[in-house]
Amino acid sequence: ERTRDGRWIWILSRGQPVEWDSAGNPLRSVGTDTDVTRFKAAEAALADEKERLRVTLDSIGEGVISTDAEGRILFMNPVAELLTGTAEKDALGQPLMAIFVACREQSGETVPDPAAACLADGCAARLPDDLVLVARDGSVRAILGTAAPVKAEDGRSIGAVLAFTDASVIRAHSRQLEHSAMHAALTGLPNRAQFSRALAEARRQVVDEQRAHAICFIDLDQFKPVNDRAGHAAGDELLKLVAASIRRACRHHDFAARLGGDEFVLLLGDCTLGDARRVAQKVVDSIAGLDFVWAGTHFRVGASVGVAAIMADPAIDPLERADAACYAAKADGRGRVMVDL
C-alpha cells in the first residue's frame, strides 16, 4: 500500500463479516490493516544473510557439514560433496557416519562419530592428524579438520559443524621431509642419525634380551681416483651402485646405512661374529665385482670391512671397534674382512 507521503509499505489485512441478511449473505464486515513493513524487512535481511552464508560456505576451500542435535546431516558445501563423493541431496537427513567414512591411516581403525562426540561433551575437538577419508568411489584422501557444537542462547547443543580439508599434499610432503631427514639423499639408505637410533635399540636388546648383534664398518678402496679422474658426478653414481650392491649382499632384515663420504655400515641383527664375517665377505665380493664405466673408462673399486660384536658393556663403542678393525683390514692389504675379537 502507498502512504500519503508516497512511501510503499507492506500491510497485513484481516477481516470478517459481523452482520448477515436473512439469506446468509454478509451485510457488514470489520477488518484491520497492520503495517508489517518492519517484519518484511527483517525477513528479507534474514534471507539475504542466509544466502550470503551459503555463498561463503560454498566458496571456501574447506569441506563443511552441519548436523542437527541427533547427528543427522542438514547441510553440505560443494567441497564436502567432492571429498566424500556424495551429493548434498543424497546426504540430507542421513547420519554423519553414513557419509563421513574416516579411519586412522596406519591402523585402519575407524574413528568415533566426531559430531556425536562434540554434541555429547559440548566442546570443539580437533580430528586426529593421521586421519584418512574414504569417499564413496573408494578413493582415499588424507584430511585435517575440527568438529564443534552449535549452541542455542541457553547453551544447549542443537547441532554440530564439521570442517575438514584435503591434506594429502601436505602429508605427502611431510613424509618426504621425514624420509629426507633420515636417509642419505644420494643413495636412499638411512643416514648416520637413523643408524644411531637403530644402534641404540640394538644395544638395548643385547642388554635386556641377551640377543647377539654385530656391525660391519665398510670403507671403499680406490674410490678417490674415481672422483679425481672422472669427477664428483661419477663418484656419486658409483656410490649409488655400491649402496645397491651392499643391500643385495646382506640379509633382507639387516640394516644398511651410509655414514657419509664412502663409508657405509651394516647392523646385523641376531648374528654371531662368524655369520657376520660371512655377510661381510659377501659384501666385499659384491663390491669387487662391480665394473663401473664412466665416459668410456672402466673403474674398479673394492671395500675393506671391519666387524665387531655389540657388547652389553656401555663403555665399549661397537662402531669404534668396527672402524678400528676396518682400518686394520686396509693396513693388511685392503679388500678383506677383519673381525674385532
Side-chain angles (χ1 to χ4, degrees), residues 321-338:
R321 301 289 287 265
D323 186 11
C326 179
Y327 182 81
K330 282 185 174 292
D332 196 42
R334 302 175 184 254
R336 60 193 63 203
V337 176
M338 190 71 71

Side-chain angles (χ1 to χ4, degrees), residues 8-19:
W8 287 95
I9 61 173
W10 287 90
I11 63 169
L12 175 63
S13 294
R14 295 188 179 94
Q16 64 179 26
V18 295
E19 185 178 345

Side-chain angles (χ1 to χ4, degrees), residues 43 152 182 287:
E43 184 181 79
M182 293 298 178
I287 294 175

Side-chain angles (χ1 to χ4, degrees), residues 150-272:
V150 178
K151 297 189 176 182
E153 291 185 1
D154 60 4
R156 291 181 300 110
S157 294
I158 58 174
V161 174
L162 182 67
F164 53 100
T165 186
D166 187 344
S168 300
V169 174
I170 295 174
R171 198 169 298 175
H173 184 58
S174 177
R175 281 195 293 264
Q176 184 178 7
L177 289 177
E178 183 179 346
H179 182 275
S180 297
M182 293 298 178
H183 291 75
L186 180 66
T187 63
L189 292 179
N191 60 15
R192 181 183 288 269
Q194 185 72 344
F195 171 74
S196 296
R197 290 180 174 85
L199 179 57
E201 173 59 18
R203 298 186 76 162
R204 184 199 66 76
Q205 292 172 356
V206 169
V207 174
D208 297 343
E209 303 171 20
Q210 290 75 53
R211 294 167 66 178
H213 303 323
I215 65 172
C216 299
F217 190 97
I218 306 163
D219 188 72
L220 297 186
D221 301 325
Q222 301 302 317
F223 176 72
K224 187 174 182 297
V226 177
N227 273 338
D228 292 344
R229 293 172 55 190
H232 289 288
D236 288 347
E237 191 62 31
L238 177 56
L239 288 174
K240 294 179 187 178
L241 294 178
V242 168
S245 180
I246 292 172
R247 284 303 314 156
R248 287 194 301 270
C250 66
R251 303 170 306 175
H252 73 278
H253 59 277
D254 292 332
F255 187 95
R258 182 188 175 205
L259 299 183
D262 61 346
E263 295 177 342
F264 297 82
V265 67
L266 274 175
L267 175 56
L268 308 177
D270 300 308
C271 186
T272 65

Side-chain angles (χ1 to χ4, degrees), residues 101-111 127-134 140-144 166-175 178:
V101 182
C103 61
R104 309 298 285 263
E105 185 171 17
Q106 295 299 324
S107 66
E109 175 190 359
T110 302
V111 297
L127 301 181
D129 289 339
D130 62 342
L131 209 59
V132 293
L133 181 67
V134 183
V140 177
R141 292 182 175 88
I143 60 169
L144 295 172
D166 187 344
S168 300
V169 174
I170 295 174
R171 198 169 298 175
H173 184 58
S174 177
R175 281 195 293 264
E178 183 179 346

Side-chain angles (χ1 to χ4, degrees), residues 1-9:
E1 178 177 311
R2 192 170 187 177
T3 62
R4 290 181 179 179
D5 60 4
R7 292 181 301 109
W8 287 95
I9 61 173

